[in-house]
Amino acid sequence: MTIRLGGIIAGLVITGILVLWSLIPGLINYAPPERGDYYVFKQKPKAPEGGFSFDGPLGKWDVAQLQRGYQVYKEVCSSCHSLKFVAFRNLQELTYSEAEVRAEAATWFVPGVDPVTGEATTRAGEPTDYFPSPYPNDVAAAAANNNAIPPDLSLITKARKDGSNYVYSLLAGYGEPDPELQKLSPEFETPAGLYFNPYFPNVNLAMAPPIAVDGLVTYADGTEATIDQMSQDVTAFLTWTAEPSLVQRKQTGWFVIGFLLFATALAFLSYKQVWAGKKPKKK
């Protein structure tokens, strides 16, 4: 008995030593991240006034907004950012007809091969093609953008926390630091070649304001193209490119919940029916 008890105690002691040996170095080395001089300017992403149409359990796509967002992407964002996971044929989901998609694809130029010489060339896009990158490679992309490679936007709203609100806030959030907050961090400055935006992780980013003035595009439906409106529209479009089945999943979820509630009620009634004639035995 004494030997067994001693073995248990020794095992506990060894286990405790191993646990402490693994945890103490981490605790010693742990230190909360230092807050840079930019931290006082940081803001959390915000939703546009009224929110997006696809928000919430009953959300749905505003197709007109998605079409406007595509226009903003094409005329403003596509000069720097790609959509490599989206094909032209996917635009049919935005209620464009097959002929309209074919005509739209033909306005883009995609990489191709000359059938005679075999040399690399470009050709008019087809519905089966994917949106082309504006740069031939990352080196060219970095050289044209202050050594910062513009990210692909296909999945951008899924790649960022609170993605839709983040993209909207970033696009509409350029400006100058708040003078009152500047007093709290007098050493802060925006280096040359960078732009202040309180919604970016370190508030200074290499991307110049892509939507800097009202009226940058002319909407076919007559919607006024303000900075805020264009930011909302292209954000909605990029949410669709990242999750085209978003609304469908929400709608399917309601059917699943209804089925589960029905199945639960049916199971309970079956239980009551099966055991209705069975009386518990008296003790």
Side-chain angles (χ1 to χ4, degrees), residues 194-206:
L194 300 182
Y195 303 86
F196 177 79
N197 192 312
Y199 300 100
F200 192 67
N202 65 1
V203 309
N204 290 325
L205 73 164

Side-chain angles (χ1 to χ4, degrees), residues 165-209:
N165 292 336
Y166 169 79
V167 172
Y168 162 75
S169 300
L170 190 74
L171 292 173
Y174 285 88
E176 296 296 329
D178 186 329
E180 295 299 320
L181 295 178
Q182 184 78 64
K183 295 178 183 178
L184 302 177
S185 184
E187 297 181 357
F188 171 82
E189 64 177 8
T190 299
L194 300 182
Y195 303 86
F196 177 79
N197 192 312
Y199 300 100
F200 192 67
N202 65 1
V203 309
N204 290 325
L205 73 164
M207 181 175 71

Side-chain angles (χ1 to χ4, degrees), residues 229-267:
Q229 184 66 58
M230 289 184 286
S231 299
Q232 289 187 48
D233 293 343
V234 75
T235 298
F237 173 71
L238 294 177
T239 301
W240 171 78
T241 65
E243 297 185 88
S245 61
L246 174 65
V247 170
Q248 184 180 5
R249 285 194 292 106
K250 291 181 178 182
Q251 294 172 345
T252 302
W254 284 111
F255 285 107
V256 172
I257 291 175
F259 172 77
L260 291 176
L261 290 175
F262 173 76
T264 300
L266 188 63

